[in-house]
Amino acid sequence: MNPFIELGIRHDIVNAISDLGFENPTPIQEQSIPVLLTGSNDFVGLAQTGTGKTAAFGLPLLELIDFDQNKPQALILCPTRELCLQITSDIKSYAKNMHNVKVVAVYGGASIMDQLREIKRGVQIVVATPGRMLDIIGRKAIDFSDIQYVVLDEADEMLNMGFQEDINEILSTTPEEKKTWLFSATMPAEVRRIAKNYMTDPFELTMGTKNTGNVNIEHEYYVVKAREKYAAFKRIVDFNPEIFGIVFCRTKIETQEIAESLIKDGYNADSLHGDLSQQQRDKVMKRYRDRSLQLLIATDVAARGIDVSDVTHVINYSLPDEIENYTHRSGRTGRAGKTGISIAIINAKEIGKIRQIERVLGKKFVKAEIPTGFDVCEKQLFGLVHKVHNVAVNDQQIDQYIPRIMEEFKELSKEDIIKRFASLEFNRFLDYYKNAPDLNASADESRVRDGERTPRSGSGVNADYTRLFINLGSVDNFTRGDLLGYICNTSKINGRGVGKIDVKGVYSFFEVPNDEAQQVVDAFKGANFQGREVRIELSGAADGERSESRSPRSSGGGYPRREGGSGNRERRDGGRERSYSGGGSGSGFRDFSGKSKEDRGERRRRF
Ligand code: AMP
């Protein structure tokens, strides 16, 4: 008998999940489905992402809800729009053989009118991010008086993102007697508190030891000098020609810059962060899912909940501020029983952080060495040989050209031809890596280097200056001179001290003397330009200049290059989630925290 039937799931659902390739329940499904199917327990599940959580609560919901009734009976709250869409589409696919199942996704940054219309048409399962949900509740557009089940998915992340109050308000509109099912990758005190406040004697399930990372993921770290981090990163990528990876940066700026540098260097990469419009994010995600994008450079928030199969590597270009986020990041690989590698590129001062993560994961990292130029060339060469060997030949198409090709090659021996084919790609790597330095840092060297400031400034490194980002650029009609005037007027610093100014499309960079950087940042707090909040940030940038700047890929060939850069994207703050203030602030609406989590200072468990 199908093991899901044995767990109590009905045939039409089992058939649908069989089509998705679910043959056996994952451990969390095996243990939670029988409990949740009773419909009589509150539930706390401590489980990592990628363990099959969605079906663990989704399948019981489909069994428990009365789909003859056209009213909301289950509410699933989750932290991000991506996860919201993912859960919605997963549940719809489990229910594809059932009738009258109505699941609606409610999330910020998309038309609220469309969502209201869908709700009006009737819905039994609402999947929502808290901000938009509260907005809709505030409009009295939904009736939660028949809600029987509330699922809090990735509860730790929702609290991390400052949704505590919103969740409280939403839950207060649901009936007392509902059952609450909470899933979380980690169990900090705040999540415990929710469990205590909202649940009665919940059934608790811990998959594996607490906070233990997925066993299918190997963790590696590389120690490099800060200024050589980008070069080291590229080497790791070059050493893994088949990489299909997500690269995590700490800030939106860093994300954007690394993606731009990679694109410039001929890599198939793009960025995903909160300053992109929803449309842009969707487009990037579609390309990544379709695998026409090889490297997705992302911030923690933007990449939460992403479920893309077969991600081979997660690369921590910068370690996250919170240890828990490392678990979330690495959980993007090693999904559904596959194996994956999570890499951290660090400087010697960060080894302590690696040890902390090891303690939380209960798992050791392997210290890996940045491959030498020779290693990369060898790997690329055999990658190419392998590709040639395995390429699918379209006889019909190619046959017509064979006589001419043979004619061209008639002077050459088989060995000569092979050498030439191999050299075609390989020469670029050989050239590039000919005198490539060893990028592995000894601890001492890094320490000295980290003592120095090495801000990046266009074509050179200037230790006396701090590079700042401002969210104004040529689209706001700023020239370099205008921007200089604007900066000096607002912050009262002397224009002569200002260094390089780099005006881009929707943002710019400028350098100010180190001892004036804070004054500038402070002066712009609350500043407004034509009704828009002006944002100044320290530019984290790719650390230092590139020690291997001329990429072997930039001469063409290799991976397909994308059309246009990602530099001149439209920044749209409207993409952020808004929420109803419940009348408290008087303004009706507020940006749910004023800032996205990527910007926010407050962190839970910092290194
Ligand atoms: P989740 O933790 O719900 O995001 O699921 C992680 C991945 O595992 C998703 O791609 C699911 O489609 C897949 N998955 C969930 N349950 C099973 C199962 N029983 N068998 C195979 N794949 C599964």
Side-chain angles (χ1 to χ4, degrees), residues 1-6 8-19 63 94-98:
M1 202 201 293
N2 182 301
F4 283 100
I5 301 265
E6 282 182 47
I9 305 297
R10 73 177 91 159
H11 275 101
D12 47 2
I13 298 179
V14 171
N15 289 340
I17 60 173
S18 294
D19 291 347
E63 291 290 341
Y94 309 152
K96 71 174 182 184
N97 301 327
M98 296 169 67

Side-chain angles (χ1 to χ4, degrees), residues 4 21-26 29 49-55 307 335-336:
F4 283 100
F22 295 14
E23 286 168 12
N24 291 298
T26 64
Q29 291 162 0
T49 53
T51 49
K53 271 182 303 148
T54 316
D307 178 23
R335 296 176 77 77

Side-chain angles (χ1 to χ4, degrees), residues 108-240:
S111 156
I112 195 166
M113 295 324 275
D114 290 348
Q115 293 171 2
L116 290 172
R117 253 192 302 276
E118 267 197 274
I119 290 169
K120 217 165 174 188
R121 278 201 291 266
V123 50
Q124 298 115 347
I125 302 179
V126 180
V127 187
T129 53
R132 176 58 64 90
M133 190 69 258
L134 207 49
D135 191 345
I136 287 175
I137 292 172
R139 292 171 186 236
K140 304 208 180 325
I142 199 155
D143 175 9
F144 277 163
S145 59
D146 285 300
I147 288 283
Q148 297 174 48
Y149 305 98
V150 171
V151 180
L152 303 173
D153 193 20
E154 306 216 342
D156 51 350
E157 192 53 21
M158 284 200 282
L159 297 186
N160 248 346
M161 292 173 72
F163 283 132
Q164 170 84 65
E165 270 178 49
D166 291 357
I167 294 172
N168 291 347
E169 279 189 60
I170 295 167
L171 290 182
S172 72
T173 67
T174 60
E176 279 275 301
E177 59 281 7
K178 64 166 184 292
K179 299 298 170 215
T180 306
W181 304 346
L182 178 150
F183 289 84
S184 193
T186 57
M187 195 52 72
E190 296 91 321
V191 177
R192 275 260 156 253
R193 210 167 303 130
I194 288 209
K196 202 161 154 248
N197 291 349
Y198 292 107
M199 297 183 192
T200 325
D201 194 19
F203 184 96
E204 293 203 20
L205 188 64
T206 303
M207 299 314 299
T209 42
K210 269 181 200 176
N211 297 328
T212 295
N214 182 330
V215 290
N216 294 326
I217 303 170
E218 282 183 25
H219 303 266
E220 295 178 352
Y221 70 94
Y222 293 85
V223 184
V224 301
K225 296 167 191 161
R227 67 189 293 183
E228 283 169 350
K229 188 150 80 163
Y230 180 73
F233 162 61
K234 284 201 301 183
R235 266 209 213 165
I236 294 169
V237 173
D238 286 343
F239 190 68
N240 291 282

Side-chain angles (χ1 to χ4, degrees), residues 24 72 83 110 177 194 203 238 243 245 277 326 347 352 373 379 427 443 456 480 488 493 513 517 564 579 587:
N24 291 298
L83 187 56
E177 59 281 7
I194 288 209
F203 184 96
D238 286 343
I243 192 169
S277 69
Y326 181 85
N347 61 56
K379 195 73 183 277
N427 282 352
R456 204 167 72 112
R480 277 197 298 186
C488 294
I493 62 168
S579 77
S587 63

Side-chain angles (χ1 to χ4, degrees), residues 2-105:
N2 182 301
F4 283 100
I5 301 265
E6 282 182 47
L7 286 180
I9 305 297
R10 73 177 91 159
H11 275 101
D12 47 2
I13 298 179
V14 171
N15 289 340
I17 60 173
S18 294
D19 291 347
L20 298 174
F22 295 14
E23 286 168 12
N24 291 298
T26 64
I28 189 160
Q29 291 162 0
E30 196 162 31
Q31 296 194 47
S32 59
I33 289 174
V35 180
L36 298 181
L37 272 181
T38 65
S40 53
N41 286 95
D42 282 334
F43 177 91
V44 175
L46 188 56
Q48 305 297 315
T49 53
T51 49
K53 271 182 303 148
T54 316
F57 63 77
L59 302 182
L61 283 183
L62 290 176
E63 291 290 341
L64 291 167
I65 287 170
D66 178 359
F67 290 103
D68 292 334
Q69 308 251 10
N70 250 343
K71 45 194 181 187
Q73 296 163 60
L75 168 66
I76 300 164
L77 290 176
C78 61
T80 63
R81 158 198 157 89
E82 280 74 20
L83 187 56
C84 175
L85 288 168
Q86 185 81 50
I87 295 171
T88 308
S89 115
D90 285 354
I91 294 182
K92 282 182 178 167
S93 57
Y94 309 152
K96 71 174 182 184
N97 301 327
M98 296 169 67
H99 298 295
N100 199 38
V101 174
K102 292 180 182 155
V103 192
V104 169

Side-chain angles (χ1 to χ4, degrees), residues 33 64 240 261 273 315 318 379 440 454 490 543 546:
I33 289 174
L64 291 167
N240 291 282
S261 300
H273 57 73
I315 298 183
S318 296
K379 195 73 183 277
N440 293 290
T454 51
T490 309
D543 309 70
R546 324 308 199 200

